[in-house]
C-alpha cells in the first residue's frame, strides 16, 4: 500500500518539463485536425461552386492549360465585378478551385482551407509571442498549438468554413490570408534585417490585394488593423511604421475597387440593409449578443487550461503591459466591426459563413487579451511585492493538466450540442459511422446518372446527409438555382430531384 501511495504521490507532484508539454500540445493539435482532414475526402461540389467554376471550365474546354484557366478566372472576376459583387480576390479563388480541372479533385480545396487556416493562426500567434513578447520557444509552442486547436475545433460552421469550397475560401480562406499579412506587418514594424524586410514588404503588397478584395468583413477589419498598427508605430516613434504605408495604400485602393463595383448595387437590390450610422451602432450590441454563443463554457475551460502556462511564460518576459483597458476597448471595437458589413448590406448580423470570420477574430482577441491582462496583473503584483519574478520558476503540475482535461471532458459530455460545437468530434462521428462514405457513393452514382442521361435527368434524393459535408440537396423544381447550376455544369437542360413515388 505504501508503495502504491508513493507512486500516486509522485504522479501528483510531477511537474513535466515545458518542452515535453509543447510536444504533447502539438500532438494533441494534430490529432484534432486529422478527423477534419479525413472527412474532407468525401466533400462534393455544390451550387456556387458550379456557378463560379463554370467560367474556368469553359475556357479549359477550349485549351486545357494554366494560362487558359487564368484567362477564365479573369473573365469571371470581371463579369462578377460588374454583375454581382466587387470582392475580386475572393472571386478569383472561388472560380479557380481544384475541381475545375476535375470534380474528383474537389477535396483538395477543403484540405487547402483547413491547412491554410491552421498555419495562419499558428504563424500569427507565434509572431506575437516570439517576436513581440520574446517568449521562450517551448511556452510559445504550447500556446500556438492551443490557439490553432481552439480556432479549428470551435469554428462557427465547419460546413461553410471548410467543406463548401466557395463559401470557405470567401471567408475562412481570405481571413487566413489576412492573418498571414498581419503577421508580416508586425514583423516589419519590429524587425531589423533589411533582406527579410524586402521579402515581407512584397508579401504585404500581395496580402493587401487579397485582403482589400476579400469579403467585406475581412476587407474592413484588414484596413482597420493596418491603420491601427501604423498609428501605434507612430505613437511609439518607430520609424519602421513607414514600411507599412505602401501596403496600406495598396489595401485602401483594393478596398475602393471592391466597394465601388457596379455589381454591389445589383446585389444590394435583393436585400434591405441599415443606414451606416445605425449599422455601426448596432454592431456593438450584436457583438455583445453573440459573445456567449461564440465562447461558452468550452472557451472558458480552454482559457483556464492555458492560464498557468501563460503566467509562467510571463515571468521571463520584459514587455511592458500598459493600458490593458485601452487594449480591451480596441479589441471589442475591432471585433464589433465584423457585424457592420452584414448589417449595412442585409440588415442582419450575417450568415454562418460570415460569422466564421467574425468568430475567428474574437477567438484570437480573447487569447491576446488573456496574455495581456495576465502580464499587467503580474507586473502590478511585482511592484506591490506580492510576488518575486526572480524566484526560480517551477513547472506547472501534471495534476493541473489532468484536472483541466477532466473538466473539458465533463463540459463536452454534458453539452447537448456536441456535434455542433466540436468540429473534430462531428467529423470523426460521420466518418466512423460510415455516413460520409455512403453520402459520397450516392453523389458519385448521381453524377454517373447525369453524365449518362439525356438532356433532362431525374435523380433520387440523398438518403445520407452528413451535416459537415452535405450543404443541401437538389429540388424537384428544375428552375431552382441549385438545380440549374449543376445542370449548367454538366451541360444538361434540366436536373430534377424526386423520389420514385413522387408525382
Amino acid at each position: 500500500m505504501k508503495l502504491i501511495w508513493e507512486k500516486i504521490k509522485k504522479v501528483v507532484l510531477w511537474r513535466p518539463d515545458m518542452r515535453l508539454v509543447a510536444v504533447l500540445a502539438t500532438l494533441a493539435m494534430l490529432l484534432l485536425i486529422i478527423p477534419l482532414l479525413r472527412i474532407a475526402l468525401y466533400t462534393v461540389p455544390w451550387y456556387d461552386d458550379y456557378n463560379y467554376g463554370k467560367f474556368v471550365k469553359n475556357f479549359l474546354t477550349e485549351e486545357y492549360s494554366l494560362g487558359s484557366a487564368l484567362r477564365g478566372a479573369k473573365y469571371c472576376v470581371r463579369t462578377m465585378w460588374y454583375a454581382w459583387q466587387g470582392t475580386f480576390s475572393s472571386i478569383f479563388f472561388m472560380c479557380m478551385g481544384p475541381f475545375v480541372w476535375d470534380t474528383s479533385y474537389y477535396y483538395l480545396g477543403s484540405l487547402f482551407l483547413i491547412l491554410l487556416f491552421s498555419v495562419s493562426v499558428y504563424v500569427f500567434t507565434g509572431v506575437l509571442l516570439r517576436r513581440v513578447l520574446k517568449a521562450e520557444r517551448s511556452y510559445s509552442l504550447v500556446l500556438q498549438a492551443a490557439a490553432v486547436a481552439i480556432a479549428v475545433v470551435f469554428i462557427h460552421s465547419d460546413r461553410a468554413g471548410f467543406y463548401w469550397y466557395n463559401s470557405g475560401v470567401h471567408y475562412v480562406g481570405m481571413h487566413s490570408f489576412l492573418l498571414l499579412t498581419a503577421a508580416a506587418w508586425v514583423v516589419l514594424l519590429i524587425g531589423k534585417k533589411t533582406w527579410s524586410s524586402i521579402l515581407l514588404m512584397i508579401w504585404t503588397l500581395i496580402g493587401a490585394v487579397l485582403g482589400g478584395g476579400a469579403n467585406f468583413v475581412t476587407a474592413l477589419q484588414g484596413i482597420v488593423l493596418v491603420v491601427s498598427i501604423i498609428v501605434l508605430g507612430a505613437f511609439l516613434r518607430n520609424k519602421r511604421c513607414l514600411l507599412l504605408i505602401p501596403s496600406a495604400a495598396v489595401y485602401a485602393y483594393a478596398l475602393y475597387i471592391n466597394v465601388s463595383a457596379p455589381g454591389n448595387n445589383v446585389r444590394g437590390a435583393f436585400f434591405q440593409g441599415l443606414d451606416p450610422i445605425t449599422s455601426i451602432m448596432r454592431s456593438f450590441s450584436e457583438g455583445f449578443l453573440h459573445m456567449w454563443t461564440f465562447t461558452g463554457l468550452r472557451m472558458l475551460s480552454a482559457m483556464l487550461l492555458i492560464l498557468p502556462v501563460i503566467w509562467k511564460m510571463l515571468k521571463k518576459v520584459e514587455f511592458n503591459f500598459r493600458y490593458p483597458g485601452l487594449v480591451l476597448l480596441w479589441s471589442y471595437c475591432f471585433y464589433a466591426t465584423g457585424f457592420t458589413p452584414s448589417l449595412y448590406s442585409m440588415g442582419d448580423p450575417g450568415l454562418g459563413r460570415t460569422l466564421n470570420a467574425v468568430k475567428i477574430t474574437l477567438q484570437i482577441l480573447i487569447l491576446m487579451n488573456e496574455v495581456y491582462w495576465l502580464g499587467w496583473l503580474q507586473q502590478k503584483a511585482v511592484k506591490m511585492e506580492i510576488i518575486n519574478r526572480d524566484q526560480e520558476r517551477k513547472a506547472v503540475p501534471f495534476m493541473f493538466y489532468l484536472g483541466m482535461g477532466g473538466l473539458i471532458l465533463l463540459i463536452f459530455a454534458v453539452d447537448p450540442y456536441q456535434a455542433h460545437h466540436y468540429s473534430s468530434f462531428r467529423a470523426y462521428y460521420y466518418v466512423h459511422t460510415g455516413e460520409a462514405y455512403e453520402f459520397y457513393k450516392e453523389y458519385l452514382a448521381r453524377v454517373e446518372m447525369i453524365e449518362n442521361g439525356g438532356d433532362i435527368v431525374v435523380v433520387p434524393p440523398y438518403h445520407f446527409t452528413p451535416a459537415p459535408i452535405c450543404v443541401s440537396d437538389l429540388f424537384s423544381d428544375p428552375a431552382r438555382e441549385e438545380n440549374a447550376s449543376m445542370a449548367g455544369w454538366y451541360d444538361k437542360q434540366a436536373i430534377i430531384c424526386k423520389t420514385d413515388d413522387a408525382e
Side-chain angles (χ1 to χ4, degrees):
M1 180 64 69
K2 184 177 180 181
L3 182 60
I4 295 176
W5 172 249
E6 288 296 326
K7 289 183 177 181
I8 295 175
K9 185 178 179 182
K10 189 175 182 180
V11 171
V12 171
L13 298 178
W14 180 43
R15 295 175 181 269
D17 186 273
M18 192 52 60
R19 288 172 294 184
L20 174 60
V21 176
V23 172
L24 295 176
T26 303
L27 289 175
M29 175 194 72
L30 295 175
L31 287 174
L32 289 170
I33 293 176
I34 287 175
L36 302 176
L37 298 175
R38 179 69 180 87
I39 199 173
L41 301 179
Y42 302 123
T43 53
V44 301
W46 171 252
Y47 194 11
D48 275 339
D49 289 320
Y50 296 123
N51 290 336
Y52 287 84
K54 190 71 162 58
F55 287 86
V56 175
K57 184 190 177 187
N58 290 340
F59 274 75
L60 289 175
T61 302
E62 299 297 326
E63 179 187 331
Y64 196 78
S65 67
L66 178 60
S68 182
L70 291 174
R71 287 192 294 273
K74 179 181 177 182
Y75 181 71
C76 177
V77 170
R78 183 177 178 84
T79 300
M80 290 297 179
W81 191 82
Y82 280 105
W84 190 240
Q85 60 185 3
T87 54
F88 59 88
S89 59
S90 286
I91 294 173
F92 175 82
F93 282 95
M94 288 177 188
C95 62
M96 279 293 286
F99 63 94
V100 299
W101 303 94
D102 192 303
T103 51
S104 64
Y105 298 154
Y106 188 80
Y107 72 95
L108 294 175
S110 293
L111 296 182
F112 167 72
L113 290 172
I114 296 168
L115 295 176
L116 173 65
F117 179 48
S118 301
V119 169
S120 66
V121 174
Y122 195 84
V123 170
F124 181 70
T125 52
V127 165
L128 295 182
L129 294 167
R130 295 281 294 151
R131 302 298 292 270
V132 178
L133 297 185
K134 311 293 184 184
E136 289 184 4
R137 182 179 298 275
S138 56
Y139 288 92
S140 176
L141 292 175
V142 172
L143 298 179
Q144 287 173 257
V148 173
I150 289 170
V152 169
V153 175
F154 298 155
I155 189 169
H156 183 71
S157 172
D158 52 350
R159 178 172 56 205
F162 296 146
Y163 303 120
W164 182 13
Y165 177 78
N166 180 275
S167 168
V169 79
H170 190 30
Y171 286 94
V172 171
M174 304 315 293
H175 224 62
S176 299
F177 284 130
L178 177 60
L179 288 175
L180 293 174
T181 307
W185 283 333
V186 173
V187 175
L188 274 177
L189 185 66
I190 63 177
K192 294 180 180 179
K193 296 180 180 179
T194 304
W195 64 269
S196 61
S197 296
I198 295 174
L199 295 176
L200 287 171
M201 284 191 68
I202 293 173
W203 163 244
T204 57
L205 294 176
I206 297 173
V209 174
L210 295 176
N215 67 82
F216 292 148
V217 174
T218 300
L220 176 59
Q221 292 191 335
I223 195 67
V224 171
L225 182 60
V226 69
V227 170
S228 298
I229 295 174
I230 292 174
V231 170
L232 177 62
F235 177 77
L236 297 175
R237 298 181 181 180
N238 187 337
K239 295 181 180 180
R240 290 182 63 87
C241 68
L242 297 175
L243 298 177
L244 276 63
I245 292 179
S247 63
V250 171
Y251 200 114
Y253 180 70
L255 181 59
Y256 168 75
I257 297 297
N258 188 346
V259 299
S260 64
N264 292 331
N265 295 327
V266 177
R267 184 184 179 95
F270 292 86
F271 304 98
Q272 182 63 47
L274 305 176
D275 63 86
I277 300 299
T278 304
S279 299
I280 294 172
M281 297 305 297
R282 186 173 159 185
S283 295
F284 292 97
S285 61
E286 289 293 343
F288 177 79
L289 293 173
H290 281 78
M291 184 70 72
W292 184 250
T293 302
F294 285 162
T295 56
L297 292 176
R298 55 195 179 279
M299 185 67 180
L300 292 177
S301 63
M303 293 172 63
L304 287 174
L305 177 64
I306 61 176
L307 189 151
V309 176
I310 297 173
W311 186 263
K312 297 295 182 181
M313 175 192 74
L314 291 171
K315 287 194 172 183
K316 281 194 174 181
V317 167
E318 300 302 326
F319 187 87
N320 192 354
F321 296 93
R322 295 182 295 175
Y323 313 119
L326 186 61
V327 172
L328 181 61
L329 176 62
W330 178 88
S331 298
Y332 187 79
C333 293
F334 186 67
Y335 153 64
T337 61
F339 297 97
T340 308
S342 295
L343 291 169
Y344 176 70
S345 60
M346 299 189 300
D348 61 53
L351 302 173
R353 56 180 178 265
T354 309
L355 296 180
N356 271 336
V358 181
K359 185 174 180 178
I360 291 167
T361 296
L362 176 64
Q363 288 170 329
I364 293 176
L365 288 172
I366 287 175
L367 296 176
M368 287 172 51
N369 275 270
E370 182 178 11
V371 173
Y372 203 95
W373 275 88
L374 286 175
W376 177 78
L377 286 172
Q378 187 174 111
Q379 290 177 353
K380 284 291 184 181
V382 170
K383 288 182 180 179
M384 298 173 65
E385 298 183 351
I386 297 175
I387 63 173
N388 186 351
R389 292 183 67 189
D390 296 328
Q391 291 179 348
E392 182 180 354
R393 297 178 301 164
K394 292 184 178 180
V396 181
F398 173 72
M399 285 304 298
F400 174 81
Y401 297 117
L402 197 62
M404 284 306 305
L407 176 61
I408 292 173
L409 289 175
L410 176 62
I411 293 173
F412 170 77
V414 301
D415 191 337
Y417 304 104
Q418 292 174 343
H420 179 71
H421 290 154
Y422 302 88
S423 64
S424 298
F425 171 75
R426 181 152 86 156
Y428 169 79
Y429 172 82
Y430 284 108
V431 171
H432 181 70
T433 59
E435 289 189 46
Y437 174 67
E438 293 298 330
F439 164 73
Y440 188 67
K441 284 203 307 182
E442 288 187 319
Y443 160 76
L444 293 178
R446 173 177 290 185
V447 170
E448 185 177 0
M449 291 178 64
I450 294 172
E451 290 179 333
N452 297 329
D455 290 335
I456 300 178
V457 184
V458 179
V459 298
Y462 290 132
H463 292 94
F464 295 92
T465 55
I469 58 177
C470 181
V471 181
S472 185
D473 202 348
L474 298 177
F475 298 88
S476 59
D477 181 5
R480 289 286 297 258
E481 291 186 23
E482 295 86 343
N483 295 50
S485 62
M486 192 171 188
W489 180 268
Y490 288 102
D491 297 319
K492 300 295 178 179
Q493 183 178 334
I495 297 178
I496 302 170
C497 179
K498 62 181 181 179
T499 59
D500 294 336
D501 57 353
E503 296 182 1

